[in-house]
Amino acid sequence: MDVIETDIAIVGAGGAGLRAAIAAAEADPSLSVTLLSKVYPMRSHTVAAEGGAAGVAKAEDSLDHHFNDTVSGGDWLCDQDAVDFFVAQAPKELIRTEHWGCPWSRTPDGKVAVRPFGGMKIERTWYAADKTGFHLLHTLFQTSMKYPSVKRLDEVYTTDLLIEDGRIAGVLAHEIRSGKPMVILARSVIICTGGAGRVFPFTTNGAIKTGDGMAMAFRAGVPLKDMEFVQYHPTGLPGTGILISEAARGEGGILVNKDGYRYLQDYGMGPPDPWPRKKAMELGPRDRLSQAFWQEQQKGRCIDSKWGDVMHLDLRHLGEAKIAERLPFIRDLALSYVGVDVVNAPIPVRPVVHYTMGGIHTDITAGTPVPGLYAAGECACVSINGANRLGSNSLTELLVFGAVAGRNAAAHARGVPMPSHTNALAQADGHRKRVVALLERSKGTESVVGLRTALNDTMETGCGIYRTEDSLRATVETLAVLKTRFANVAIDDKSGVYNTDLTGAIELGNMIEIGETMALSALQRTESRGSHQRLDHPARDDAAFLKHSMAHRVEGEAPRVEYRDVVITRSQPAERVYGGEAK
Amino acid sequence: MSRKPYEPTLPNTWWLEKPFYIRYMLREMTSFFVGAYVAILIVGLWQLSQGPDAWGSFLGVLSHPLSVIFHVLAFVFATFHTVTWFALTPRTTPIMRGDHFVPPGPIIGAQYVIWAAASIVVLAAVLW
Amino acid sequence: MSDTTTFTLEVLRYNPESDDVPHAESFSVPYQEDWVVLDALNWVKDNVDGSLTFRWSCHMAVCGSCGMMVNNEPVLSCKAFLRDYLKDGKGTITVGALKNFPVEKDLVIVMDSFMEKLEAVKPWIIRTTEKPVEEGTFIQLPKQLKRFKHHTSCINCLLCYAACPQVGLNPGFIGPAALALAHRYNLDSRDQGKDLRKDVTASEYGVWECTFVSACSEVCPKDVEPAGAIQEQKIESSIDWALDHLIPGRKAR
Ligand SMILES: Cc1cc2nc3c(=O)[nH]c(=O)nc-3n(C[C@H](O)[C@H](O)[C@H](O)COP(=O)(O)OP(=O)(O)OC[C@H]3O[C@@H](n4cnc5c(N)ncnc54)[C@H](O)[C@@H]3O)c2cc1C
Ligand code: SF4
Ligand code: FES
């Protein structure tokens, strides 16, 4: 097996991974940085982010406001020391991307423009039209090329972490185009593999968001934190799940039901006027808006479309000029994928799985419990997002904590020796057997697509916007069965070159494990908080559950869920208030 | 278990594959006629400098039917060449006014206006 | 929404472990009005042959992975709707790997050359002195942004490379997307690196390889206008050349 030695290995070249690579290279140019990604960096799903990135920019705004919006938006499940650090770093990180050339939209006098997002007291979302993630990713990627110490391994698929005496030793991967396995020996490893939305059938997440890094860390003994919190975005296009950014509502778009009525006023978000207004109506937080859709659906007030129940997102009153300047991509997407020109007609939308708040357990240093192992971006849970992420905090999070991870991984790498070859190779051989088994199994009784469909179905029916004890129990049971069925999965493609059938199967295995942590953590959290809504336990229960759930892997069994206190520094849990009463 | 990328080659007939490429080749081909016409013009000027006899025989050659056919063809192709280039100008020289680009229409139109004006000046000079 | 119509995909397949040249294989897929070519390919992969190989991720025309030749035109397969290829209730399309690139397997191309070209044009902000973060952002007026904004929209889908005969004839040609990106940075009011990029953009592999076919701009799904970016650089390069010869010592600067 090929062995590559590097000081810092970064798995994932999306926004978080690229930011980490740049930070590590800047912290110490003499350290070698190896950036692995299963797709070319610019294909990473950060590219799909539309609306913007939050960071205090206006004189009337403050770090405190950003803090408070984030903590209440997260239903007080955020670690407040991390949030404080995050809001303070946010503007600096965003300025840096501006210096690197990100084409942020501007005010007439040439300053960076900001727009409001849901749950936000004062507008602080920096945007590059409605292709913010795309511009941010390409800016980071192009900037990363100027650092000679950063070496990329594009289209290299990582399957496992290697551990030596309880500390990180590297990763096992294979080059997709040749199938060749390789061991990357590293003093520090940073996981930046993004979210796991593909566990669900209907999602804004691209095909690559299969939670690989979470599963790798989980298998290596790192707990997954707050996995039950999965964000539904209220406005996805029916059929494809393509996102219609919150920016559409930030710019003044409204949501109406089949009677043309702005139904959000019935769910504590009103009154509807004046509009637009911060923290009210369509600019409420995502969890509340998605839940309102479900409630309306129960009452039969959705619009019946060829794609099933939808609501209408109406932008017509914004006018063509504003739409062309601020929301050109939205217009293009709606026209292409649902045949609607937003200038003349409302867009059909419905809630869609969007973001995993939970992830690899990290602290404010981006470190995990395994020395030398760091995680940042959507795959990690610091936690600044708590029970519901505030729109536009995630792009900023991957900058802030990507940079932290890069710097700390560099510092760690300077202080430890290179792990031993023999140890790592022996471990790699063990892990590699799983991959080889998939390639060699010829008489499998299960197909990747069959199991994936079963996984998607059970997650949606049992672990969706609203959950119950029964639904979750059924899902947990189904997942246990899927885990055993996965042992019999066989693939068509046995070749070494560019085998996407193989990577698809490995991803499926990862997703089943991730799904199980989600459903099990949800089952055990007998309260409702943020995006986790239990019909059988509708109230928030701070006495019992102002805690992070920590799912630990247990070989051959269901995961074990433990709890960990939330860090509260200066904001005591209170009721989340939106609409007329919001301050 | 190893890589063996297939290396395709571009056939010589690539430009016959699509009307778009054919139009491009046509535009490139017209350069030959434009070039030839310019060469003839230069020869004419040189003949003129050699005295009336030389100039006279040059004019004689010009009035040959083959030469007339060539000039008609050259005119058609030069026009085609000009029109295609005019259409491409907005791409080569975008012009900004205030915060916006001038749309292609006016840029293309302006070139026709200049063309017409130049032609009138030349015609006027010749007729006088 | 779905009806009984079937749709035929003639896919040019290439398996490096058993083939020497690509060959066509035909698949029938159930026609769905909402489907794009990528959906049909995924249906084949899930239901007929799991070894069919292609790249994709976002399914929303922004990651740039899924470029292919459909009926010999380079397109994003996640934005090419089957319904647009339907004639008299029937549909057959050919699907192949992007032209002008080596084929790794089926619809997957080898794009190493492009990654090298991208890096060669130094696509990052170059400044003589860095601005400290404490000083805040640069001032960039909307019209300064507008000047280059369209050239920033490139998703690296490589449709333009597949459309460009000059790329096919001269594989070293830096090509449309990378040259447009160089121009994008040159035009950015925050950048000071134009002279450094000229070593590549005005080299024998740079803008002068372009004969202004302008097929790149025709096929570009993001209106990046690479053809324009190249012509503008040619004009600049010519002026530069002339000035270098007119003003003694200018070039040495
Ligand atoms: C449609 C959409 C719109 C959004 N809009 C916004 C917004 O407006 N504002 C906001 O703040 N947030 C937004 N988000 C959320 C935000 O974009 C994401 O959370 C964030 O981009 C994740 O970045 P990342 O770097 O963590 O992961 P990604 O960008 O997903 O990158 C993951 C990387 O890991 C690599 N990888 C994964 N698995 C492996 C493996 N096994 N081996 C090797 N490499 C691997 C991938 O190749 C990729 O490079 C949006 C999300 C979506 C889906
Ligand atoms: S310039 Fe256009 S066609 Fe070429 S790679 Fe970029 S987006 Fe694709
Ligand atoms: S799948 Fe991303 S561009 Fe088509």
Side-chain angles (χ1 to χ4, degrees):
Chain A
M1 214 179 296
D2 284 357
V3 180
I4 297 174
E5 281 190 13
T6 185
D7 294 313
I8 301 161
I10 302 176
V11 185
L18 289 164
R19 183 66 191 90
I22 294 172
E26 285 187 337
D28 187 344
S30 71
L31 296 175
S32 55
V33 179
T34 303
L35 184 56
L36 299 92
S37 175
K38 67 177 172 181
V39 293
Y40 279 95
M42 63 278 187
R43 317 299 189 209
S44 304
H45 206 58
T46 297
V47 80
E50 299 168 3
V56 170
K58 293 191 125 182
E60 64 267 37
D61 197 5
S62 72
L63 299 182
D64 276 347
H65 290 328
H66 193 182
F67 174 93
N68 287 328
D69 288 345
T70 302
V71 171
S72 64
D75 219 349
W76 276 272
L77 199 71
C78 318
D79 280 345
Q80 296 180 10
D81 54 344
V83 178
D84 258 324
F85 176 78
F86 164 74
V87 299
Q89 294 300 310
K92 296 181 202 162
E93 279 297 330
L94 290 168
I95 290 170
R96 213 160 263 142
T97 65
E98 197 272 344
H99 291 181
W100 288 333
C102 188
W104 295 109
S105 293
R106 304 282 172 161
T107 60
D109 59 353
K111 297 206 184 84
V112 167
V114 285
R115 62 163 52 123
F117 249 57
M120 199 177 263
K121 186 184 169 88
I122 293 169
E123 50 271 60
R124 67 175 77 90
T125 298
W126 300 38
Y127 60 96
D130 53 358
K131 290 196 214 165
T132 311
F134 161 78
H135 286 301
L136 206 52
L137 182 72
H138 281 251
T139 301
L140 288 169
F141 174 46
Q142 288 158 13
T143 303
S144 77
M145 291 181 185
K146 78 177 184 195
Y147 299 92
S149 61
V150 178
K151 191 170 171 303
R152 288 199 329 268
L153 294 179
D154 296 332
E155 299 203 315
V156 168
Y157 190 96
T158 310
T159 51
D160 291 279
L161 300 178
L162 305 175
I163 309 281
E164 180 181 307
D165 299 333
R167 72 173 179 92
I168 197 73
V171 301
L172 169 65
H174 69 261
E175 188 185 44
I176 296 177
R177 65 180 175 188
S178 66
K180 257 194 350 222
M182 51 169 90
V183 163
I184 320 288
L185 273 191
R187 300 172 210 263
S188 304
V189 171
I190 313 175
I191 308 181
C192 300
T193 49
R198 282 271 154 183
V199 168
F200 290 84
F202 186 65
T203 173
T204 61
N205 285 197
I208 59 173
K209 299 197 74 169
T210 51
D212 296 353
M214 296 180 188
M216 275 183 254
F218 189 52
R219 281 197 299 270
V222 180
L224 297 184
K225 194 199 289 173
D226 293 338
M227 291 302 286
E228 63 273 43
F229 298 99
V230 175
Q231 179 169 74
Y232 278 78
H233 195 293
T235 58
L237 292 184
T240 53
I242 290 172
L243 180 77
I244 298 300
S245 169
E246 202 159 295
R249 284 169 283 129
E251 298 294 348
I254 56 169
L255 280 168
V256 296
N257 66 13
K258 72 171 193 212
D259 307 316
Y261 175 69
R262 289 174 73 188
Y263 57 95
L264 291 171
Q265 58 191 294
D266 296 353
Y267 301 93
M269 300 287 156
D273 292 310
W275 178 250
R277 193 162 95 256
K278 319 253 156 47
K279 282 185 126 169
M281 292 300 291
E282 287 80 0
L283 284 177
R286 291 179 181 170
D287 53 343
R288 294 285 173 84
L289 264 60
S290 296
Q291 288 150 18
F293 177 97
W294 187 91
Q295 301 281 359
E296 287 284 291
Q297 196 173 30
Q298 301 305 303
K299 295 176 195 159
R301 292 200 211 141
C302 286
I303 298 147
D304 188 24
S305 78
K306 65 171 176 172
W307 304 280
D309 285 345
V310 296
M311 290 296 188
H312 275 163
L313 174 62
D314 199 339
L315 307 182
R316 286 176 290 188
H317 54 287
L318 302 184
E320 184 161 7
K322 188 165 181 180
I323 290 171
E325 187 212 325
R326 308 270 178 94
L327 304 167
F329 192 35
I330 294 303
R331 186 178 183 185
D332 178 30
L333 288 172
L335 193 61
S336 303
Y337 294 97
V338 289
V340 164
D341 185 349
V342 305
V343 172
N344 310 316
I347 318 172
V349 291
R350 55 160 280 197
V352 52
V353 168
H354 184 56
Y355 186 85
T356 35
M357 264 75 72
I360 302 167
H361 168 49
T362 59
D363 59 19
I364 194 166
T365 69
T368 69
V370 175
L373 179 64
Y374 301 81
E378 192 171 338
C379 69
C381 181
V382 176
S383 145
I384 63 151
N385 298 313
N388 171 60
R389 170 176 74 95
L390 221 55
S392 76
N393 264 354
S394 169
L395 288 177
T396 314
E397 176 184 358
L398 61 84
L399 294 172
V400 170
F401 288 99
V404 168
R407 284 193 288 270
N408 289 336
H412 179 88
R414 274 195 299 263
V416 297
M418 189 60 74
S420 91
H421 278 233
T422 25
N423 214 324
L425 277 170
Q427 237 187 86
D429 277 335
H431 291 312
R432 181 73 193 161
K433 290 206 175 77
R434 270 196 356 262
V435 178
V436 175
L438 277 170
L439 277 174
E440 288 178 348
R441 192 176 302 131
S442 50
K443 291 228 170 48
T445 47
E446 301 288 351
S447 70
V448 171
V449 59
L451 293 188
R452 196 176 62 217
T453 311
L455 166 72
N456 287 167
D457 287 350
T458 193
M459 291 306 290
E460 184 170 64
T461 43
C463 201
I465 298 187
Y466 280 95
R467 305 153 172 187
T468 65
E469 164 107 25
D470 290 346
S471 76
L472 287 164
R473 220 171 257 299
T475 296
V476 169
E477 277 161 23
T478 307
L479 287 168
V481 175
L482 289 182
K483 255 199 326 197
T484 50
R485 285 173 63 189
F486 181 72
N488 289 317
V489 83
I491 55 178
D492 290 348
D493 194 342
K494 307 287 184 194
S495 73
V497 176
Y498 220 98
N499 192 335
T500 51
D501 214 10
L502 173 67
T503 48
I506 302 172
E507 287 167 348
L508 171 66
N510 290 339
M511 288 197 291
I512 295 175
E513 289 214 59
I514 302 293
E516 201 178 20
T517 63
M518 288 173 171
L520 207 69
S521 305
L523 176 64
Q524 301 196 9
R525 186 177 284 275
T526 48
E527 65 155 355
S528 289
R529 182 187 297 272
S531 68
H532 171 68
Q533 293 293 313
R534 291 279 301 253
L535 289 171
D536 46 352
H537 298 277
R540 195 173 84 191
D541 180 358
D542 286 336
F545 286 110
L546 188 58
K547 290 194 169 68
H548 298 297
S549 54
M550 310 284 280
H552 295 260
R553 188 165 190 272
V554 184
E555 188 60 49
E557 284 175 39
R560 179 182 78 248
V561 181
E562 294 172 359
Y563 292 90
R564 180 189 172 92
D565 284 340
V566 171
V567 179
I568 308 272
T569 56
R570 57 196 176 96
S571 170
Q572 290 307 316
E575 208 192 320
R576 295 167 75 201
V577 188
Y578 295 99
E581 273 106 72
K583 281 197 294 294
Chain B
M1 269 279 278
S2 68
R3 296 181 64 209
K4 191 183 72 185
Y6 169 73
E7 304 271 352
T9 44
L10 199 63
N12 288 333
T13 51
W14 62 267
W15 56 277
L16 290 171
E17 274 176 21
K18 289 176 199 171
F20 187 87
Y21 292 152
I22 295 177
R23 271 199 303 278
Y24 156 76
M25 279 309 240
L26 216 58
R27 191 193 81 204
E28 293 295 282
M29 202 183 70
T30 56
S31 329
F32 168 76
F33 285 87
V34 175
Y37 177 77
V38 170
I40 292 172
L41 207 66
I42 291 170
V43 170
L45 282 174
W46 188 72
Q47 296 285 55
L48 190 62
S49 71
Q50 300 302 302
D53 285 355
W55 175 242
S57 65
F58 175 69
L59 288 183
V61 174
L62 277 194
S63 48
H64 189 275
L66 275 181
S67 164
V68 173
I69 292 172
F70 169 80
H71 276 82
V72 170
L73 271 179
F75 178 73
V76 171
F77 283 134
T79 309
F80 178 83
H81 196 85
T82 310
V83 170
T84 50
W85 271 102
F86 279 8
L88 289 169
T89 315
R91 258 181 196 155
T92 58
T93 36
I95 301 168
M96 283 194 88
R97 285 195 56 180
D99 287 354
H100 298 280
F101 283 104
V102 177
I107 298 183
I108 298 174
Q111 299 179 95
Y112 281 99
V113 171
I114 296 170
W115 185 19
S119 302
I120 290 169
V121 170
V122 171
L123 255 177
V126 169
L127 292 182
W128 250 289
Chain C
M1 186 172 37
S2 73
D3 53 52
T4 49
T5 320
T6 55
F7 202 94
T8 308
L9 303 182
E10 299 272 353
V11 184
L12 256 195
R13 302 198 61 180
Y14 173 68
N15 179 352
E17 290 174 11
S18 53
D19 301 336
D20 288 320
V21 289
H23 60 92
E25 190 172 339
S26 179
F27 298 100
S28 294
V29 300
Y31 170 74
Q32 310 256 341
E33 199 199 340
D34 281 349
W35 269 12
V36 290
V37 173
L38 177 63
D39 295 324
L41 290 170
N42 266 319
W43 186 89
V44 173
K45 188 168 181 73
D46 284 348
N47 297 287
V48 185
D49 184 350
S51 73
L52 183 64
T53 305
F54 46 94
R55 291 187 175 108
W56 72 286
S57 176
C58 71
H59 199 292
M60 57 189 279
V62 71
C63 78
S65 312
C66 70
M68 298 169 193
M69 306 300 293
V70 173
N71 286 352
N72 211 20
E73 293 290 339
V75 295
L76 293 178
S77 57
C78 69
K79 220 187 166 189
F81 285 86
L82 295 187
R83 57 175 182 255
D84 295 336
Y85 297 100
L86 213 55
K87 269 198 215 94
D88 313 322
K90 280 206 212 108
T92 302
I93 51 172
T94 60
V95 184
L98 280 183
K99 273 198 179 166
N100 298 338
F101 289 95
V103 182
E104 189 80 70
K105 178 175 174 181
D106 291 349
L107 305 173
V108 172
I109 54 157
V110 181
M111 52 184 277
D112 298 21
S113 60
F114 172 72
M115 298 307 281
E116 282 159 24
K117 292 168 187 174
L118 198 65
E119 196 154 342
V121 302
K122 300 190 170 57
W124 53 79
I125 294 279
I126 298 172
R127 295 190 56 83
T128 43
T129 52
E130 301 278 335
K131 186 178 166 92
V133 171
E134 300 73 49
E135 287 178 16
T137 56
F138 288 95
I139 293 292
Q140 184 167 65
L141 297 173
K143 68 171 179 214
Q144 292 177 308
L145 173 62
K146 181 93 179 188
R147 180 65 188 84
F148 68 91
K149 184 73 198 268
H150 52 303
H151 299 315
T152 66
S153 299
C154 172
I155 60 173
N156 297 174
C157 64
L158 307 186
L159 302 192
C160 52
Y161 284 70
C164 174
Q166 294 304 327
V167 169
L169 294 167
N170 175 5
F173 175 37
I174 300 283
L179 287 170
L181 191 63
H183 195 51
R184 167 251 178 276
Y185 278 98
N186 289 344
L187 289 175
D188 192 320
S189 56
R190 298 165 289 191
D191 182 76
Q192 302 167 329
K194 193 168 170 175
D195 286 342
L196 288 172
R197 288 185 199 101
K198 249 184 329 212
D199 294 345
V200 177
T201 57
S203 75
E204 55 180 315
Y205 296 115
V207 291
W208 296 108
E209 261 309 300
C210 165
T211 55
F212 207 2
V213 183
S214 85
C216 52
S217 287
E218 294 298 317
V219 301
C220 176
K222 297 286 152 183
D223 299 328
V224 173
E225 203 49 90
I230 295 174
Q231 309 323 306
E232 285 181 58
Q233 289 178 90
K234 281 188 197 166
I235 294 173
E236 278 176 14
S237 171
S238 311
I239 295 174
D240 249 16
W241 182 86
L243 290 180
D244 281 349
H245 286 76
L246 289 173
I247 307 171
R250 180 177 189 272
K251 201 174 180 182
R253 253 190 331 144

